[in-house]
Amino acid sequence: MARQPVVRHNDWGSLVPATLGAWEPTLGVTVVVPTFNYQHTLPYVLAGLAAQSYPAHLLEVLVVDDQSSPVQELPEVRPDNTRLIRVEEGWGRANACHLGALAAEGDVLHWYDADMLAYREEVEAHARWHHLVDYAVPGGDKHFVDPAGLLGLDPAVVRDRVAAGEAADLFPGQDHEPHQWVEDYWARTDDLRTAGPRAQRFHIGMTGSVTKALYFDSDGFDRSLRLGEDMHLGHSLAQAGGVFVVDREARSWHLGRSQVLRRAEQVNRYNDPYLADLVPTMRPKRNKRGRTYQVPYLEAVVTAGPADETIRVVDALLDGDVPDLRVTIVGPWGSVHEDRVQPVEDPVLETRLVHRSFVHEPRVRLVVALVGPSDAEFVLTLPDVTLAPLRGVLPALLDDLERTHHGARLLSYDSGAVARLERTSALARVARVADSGDDHEVLLEESFGTKTYAATAVGWVPVGEREVERFTLPARPPMDTEKSEQRMVKALRKADAISAPGAEGPPSEGGESVDLTSEADDGDQGKRGLFGRRR
């Protein structure tokens, strides 16, 4: 079997799909239709699916009834191979879609909401991408319409008109409202071709599809989500190597306005804390400082070495300007024991010191071995504990990767060792397209791009030179209250915590205003610049 085509970044334009009606499909497609009290529109959804150009023997439809009341029954007009399954545990669209995925017999999972009406070639248009690569995530073109005129028609009539290619004429004289915020982003990014890693944020699940292989290689739907599940799924599919396609020939009508359009402000208010916690690419929803999240933006992996150096390296990572991270230290933590031993002569003293230093730090996890890929957006893997980054280094390197959409930055040490800062989705894409004899480094460069820097040229310093500031509390008699207040005001002014911009600052202890422009940054940043040069 030939290796799959390689798509660079999200430029799906390099793929050439089959012409509709002029090819021979071979993959089975399961259309998963979650429904909750959509008895009025579901007959028309199934009527449209019964008129599809995709071969009937390759098409399965699963209607997943999410505990509708009255209980959903299958209408008479439906595709030949249609099954109804009922949700017995949990609730919500994400839960229903995942149950459909588990029950599906097809090679392709095609999500389709119970208020959508497909054009004749909708399923075929999606399926042709999955015959090219197993990591395509196509999305369809849709417009919102008032369904009132449709609901008076016999579903059999709708089926026949869709089969005759007349779906576009079912709503004459009506305004056809586009999915405007999605269309605007598609327009700015050449239908997501230039969107790079941000393409995942515009995964709209009401009419989307994915191979079963890619879905189950990803984290899939988060079944605890009640809204925003399609955006989270987009992130999961990207992390598994997906490329997001816009197919203008996969057309549908949305029967009524979506909840997001009707109640956008309320929906966004509900979604924000969930998506901020779970989707690192939605960085504008995350605080720049002071917070950590369930799924980190960056994971740093350190193999434990000598205790002093390991502690310094991990402290340097935690002290940096990327608080949204997790540090994973790999070591033999099971050897740390409570047996009687002379403490300073303990055979596992080095391991014990590292263990005790970080066992209660919430941003650090101690593991014996790495299991599976990281869930973070980026992974920094250090080869040893000889070099440590200055505070502003990691944001600069990450911004470099974000601007270029590249897959990795390699940081070469003088010893010949290499630290790797890699995009998780890029590693997954390479793993999907690689054959047994392929060079993964070559594929990473081809599919995403890489660049190598000398570590010491971009702010990495010998670990012994990286100082992490500690508190000072000298023993002294109590200070006069007014003098202490003056010092507090000076500190607040320095931190820009008081006084409006342009306002005259509070006096210093000597009666003169405080000049902040000459103040050096705290800690080692005052001694050494970002790229290792002394100031």
Side-chain angles (χ1 to χ4, degrees):
M1 180 179 177
R3 194 188 76 193
Q4 295 191 78
V6 176
V7 173
R8 185 171 177 84
H9 299 160
N10 200 68
D11 187 10
W12 54 266
S14 61
L15 300 174
V16 181
T19 301
L20 295 178
W23 64 297
E24 191 66 32
T26 59
L27 297 178
V29 175
T30 296
V31 181
V32 178
V33 184
T35 181
F36 173 67
N37 293 342
Y38 275 90
Q39 290 89 347
H40 59 303
T41 57
L42 182 64
Y44 300 95
V45 175
L46 295 181
L49 293 174
Q52 290 300 295
S53 62
Y54 203 70
H57 71 281
L58 294 175
L59 182 62
E60 173 189 40
V61 175
L62 280 183
V63 176
V64 186
D65 181 17
D66 190 16
Q67 304 174 30
S68 297
S69 179
V71 172
Q72 181 68 59
E73 301 294 344
L74 290 179
E76 180 179 349
V77 177
R78 61 181 188 263
D80 293 339
N81 186 14
T82 300
R83 290 189 285 143
L84 175 67
I85 61 177
R86 304 193 192 278
V87 174
E88 303 293 342
E89 184 177 349
W91 65 278
R93 182 178 179 276
N95 183 61
C97 285
H98 183 70
L99 292 177
L102 293 174
E105 295 179 355
D107 306 292
V108 174
L109 302 170
H110 189 339
W111 321 113
Y112 210 67
D113 279 2
D115 53 1
M116 303 288 291
L117 177 61
Y119 282 55
R120 179 175 181 270
E121 300 85 3
E122 209 274 345
V123 172
E124 181 188 351
H126 276 264
R128 57 185 174 166
W129 296 98
H130 303 302
H131 285 72
L132 290 174
V133 295
D134 76 354
Y135 59 93
V137 186
D141 193 11
K142 58 201 165 297
H143 283 75
F144 299 87
V145 291
D146 182 348
L150 179 77
L151 299 182
L153 297 177
D154 187 318
V157 172
V158 174
R159 176 199 58 201
D160 294 344
R161 293 193 63 183
V162 171
E166 298 175 5
D169 304 322
L170 287 171
F171 301 94
Q174 276 199 40
D175 290 333
H176 304 159
E177 181 182 359
H179 205 164
Q180 197 59 56
W181 68 273
V182 175
E183 291 282 353
D184 289 345
Y185 192 76
W186 285 358
R188 293 198 302 272
T189 59
D190 192 17
D191 282 352
L192 298 183
R193 291 181 183 92
T194 64
R198 281 168 282 284
Q200 61 175 273
R201 294 176 59 182
F202 293 83
H203 174 257
I204 307 301
M206 62 183 69
T207 168
S209 63
V210 61
T211 62
K212 190 186 291 184
L214 182 64
Y215 179 79
F216 285 110
D217 283 346
S218 79
D219 289 338
F221 279 106
D222 185 322
R223 298 167 71 179
S224 70
L225 293 177
R226 312 307 179 197
L227 291 172
E229 70 283 340
D230 47 358
M231 293 184 181
H232 173 263
L233 179 62
H235 168 69
S236 297
L237 297 175
Q239 292 292 87
V243 60
F244 296 84
V245 175
V246 176
D247 192 326
R248 297 287 186 175
E249 293 185 288
R251 294 178 292 172
S252 297
W253 294 113
H254 193 292
L255 306 178
R257 302 188 81 210
S258 74
Q259 178 171 233
V260 173
L261 293 179
R262 294 195 313 269
R263 307 172 68 181
E265 185 174 338
Q266 293 167 288
V267 169
N268 289 336
R269 180 173 181 266
Y270 178 91
N271 275 340
D272 279 359
Y274 288 92
L275 295 178
D277 209 30
L278 293 169
V279 183
T281 53
M282 293 190 170
R283 298 203 82 198
K285 297 184 183 298
R286 293 188 167 189
N287 293 350
K288 191 171 184 179
R289 289 176 291 275
R291 286 281 302 275
T292 57
Y293 298 87
Q294 180 179 338
V295 180
Y297 182 61
L298 172 67
E299 178 170 13
V301 178
V302 181
T303 299
D308 293 349
E309 289 82 355
T310 303
I311 293 167
R312 277 180 171 268
V313 166
V314 175
D315 278 343
L317 293 166
L318 297 173
D319 183 56
D321 289 338
V322 182
D324 184 5
L325 91 162
R326 174 174 63 226
V327 180
T328 297
I329 313 176
V330 182
W333 311 115
S335 66
V336 177
H337 59 85
E338 295 302 324
D339 299 342
R340 182 182 293 275
V341 66
Q342 169 54 250
V344 297
E345 296 175 3
D346 187 349
V348 297
L349 178 61
E350 298 301 294
T351 302
R352 182 183 298 279
L353 294 177
V354 177
H355 180 271
R356 185 60 189 185
S357 294
F358 299 109
V359 68
H360 298 300
E361 164 55 56
R363 287 187 292 164
V364 173
R365 65 173 183 167
L366 305 172
V367 302
V368 175
L370 296 176
V371 179
S374 173
D375 59 349
E377 192 73 12
F378 293 94
V379 179
L380 170 67
T381 306
L382 301 186
D384 54 44
V385 290
T386 60
L387 296 181
L390 297 174
R391 289 189 65 181
V393 167
L394 293 181
L397 288 169
L398 289 164
D399 285 348
D400 186 29
L401 277 169
E402 291 283 31
R403 286 190 296 267
T404 60
H405 299 177
H406 276 188
R409 288 293 176 263
L410 309 181
L411 308 173
S412 60
Y413 290 21
D414 291 344
S415 65
V418 176
R420 303 180 67 91
L421 178 59
E422 297 168 302
R423 190 184 298 275
T424 307
S425 58
L427 299 181
R429 178 86 60 81
V430 167
R432 297 202 75 81
V433 302
D435 278 346
S436 58
D438 284 332
D439 185 326
H440 283 220
E441 296 296 322
V442 172
L443 279 177
L444 183 60
E445 170 60 38
E446 181 182 354
S447 58
F448 279 87
T450 65
K451 191 169 184 177
T452 301
Y453 295 124
T456 54
V458 290
W460 292 73
V461 298
V463 64
E465 296 184 22
R466 174 60 161 99
E467 296 292 336
V468 173
E469 186 177 15
R470 292 190 176 184
F471 286 104
T472 58
L473 190 61
R476 59 192 177 194
M479 182 179 288
D480 176 77
T481 302
E482 291 187 4
K483 187 175 182 181
S484 178
E485 181 183 354
Q486 289 177 342
R487 289 200 178 184
M488 178 188 70
V489 171
K490 179 180 178 180
L492 291 171
R493 179 64 182 92
K494 180 179 178 180
D496 291 327
I498 61 174
S499 297
E504 186 175 333
S508 67
E509 292 183 57
E512 298 178 356
S513 62
V514 180
D515 180 7
L516 301 181
T517 59
S518 62
E519 297 283 352
D521 291 340
D522 290 340
D524 59 275
Q525 290 292 297
K527 302 174 184 177
R528 184 182 291 272
L530 175 60
F531 298 104
R533 296 187 292 271
R534 297 284 179 178
R535 290 182 178 172

